[in-house]
Amino acid sequence: MKQMKLWSMMLAVLMMFTMVSCGDDGDDGGDTVDVSKAVGTWYCTSSNDRSGGYSVDDLFVGQQVTIYSDGTYTSTSSSFGTTGTYVVSGSNIIVTTNSNRRFVVGVTFSGNRMTWRGSGEGVTFTYVFSRM
C-alpha cells in the first residue's frame, strides 16, 4: 500500500503537467502542446492509478493543481511533490517533481475539463480535472 501511495503521488504530479498537452496518443509525433490551455488552477474530479496489478480509484480527487506559464507547478497534495517543473516535448509534457521523479503525460482538453493519461516509475494513470 505504501508503494501504491508513492506511485499515486508521482502520477498526480506528472498529471499536473500533462494537462498542458494537446494529444492523447502519448508519442512525440503529434501536435506540440499548447501550455496556455493548462495555465491556471484545476480541481481533480476523477482519478485512477494502476500499479503491480492493483487499481486505485479517486486517490487524487479533491486535490488542486496550479500550472504556471514559467514551467513550474504547485499542488495541494502532500502525498507527492507539492512543487515541480515541466517541459514540453512534442505532444507530451515531461514533469520533474521536487523529489526528482519524472513522468511523461499526454493531455486532452474538452471545454473546462482536462484529462491526463500517462505512466512512469511503474504506474499508469488517468486523471480528470475541472478548471477552478
Side-chain angles (χ1 to χ4, degrees):
M1 187 66 168
K2 184 177 181 180
Q3 182 181 15
M4 184 56 136
K5 187 173 182 179
L6 176 62
W7 290 128
S8 296
M9 171 179 63
M10 292 182 203
L11 289 175
V13 172
L14 181 62
M15 298 192 83
M16 286 188 247
F17 292 107
T18 58
M19 64 177 128
V20 296
S21 173
C22 295
D24 65 347
D25 60 2
D27 67 19
D28 283 340
D31 296 334
T32 299
V33 173
D34 180 0
V35 174
S36 68
K37 290 182 179 181
V39 170
T41 300
W42 298 82
Y43 175 81
C44 186
T45 59
S46 173
S47 68
N48 176 266
D49 299 284
R50 296 168 302 284
S51 177
Y54 295 95
S55 180
V56 177
D57 289 328
D58 301 331
L59 185 63
F60 195 60
V61 169
Q63 299 299 317
Q64 294 178 21
V65 174
T66 301
I67 308 295
Y68 302 97
S69 61
D70 67 355
T72 64
Y73 74 92
T74 60
S75 171
T76 60
S77 177
S78 62
S79 66
F80 58 86
T82 56
T83 63
T85 61
Y86 67 91
V87 295
V88 175
S89 177
S91 62
N92 293 316
I93 300 294
I94 299 171
V95 176
T96 302
T97 70
N98 62 339
S99 59
N100 209 30
R101 299 191 183 272
R102 297 183 73 176
F103 297 91
V104 177
V105 182
V107 178
T108 57
F109 294 93
S110 178
N112 285 331
R113 292 181 59 158
M114 174 178 66
T115 301
W116 290 343
R117 289 182 180 89
S119 62
E121 304 208 16
V123 179
T124 302
F125 55 88
T126 302
Y127 288 9
V128 178
F129 295 86
S130 292
R131 190 174 291 277
M132 296 293 293

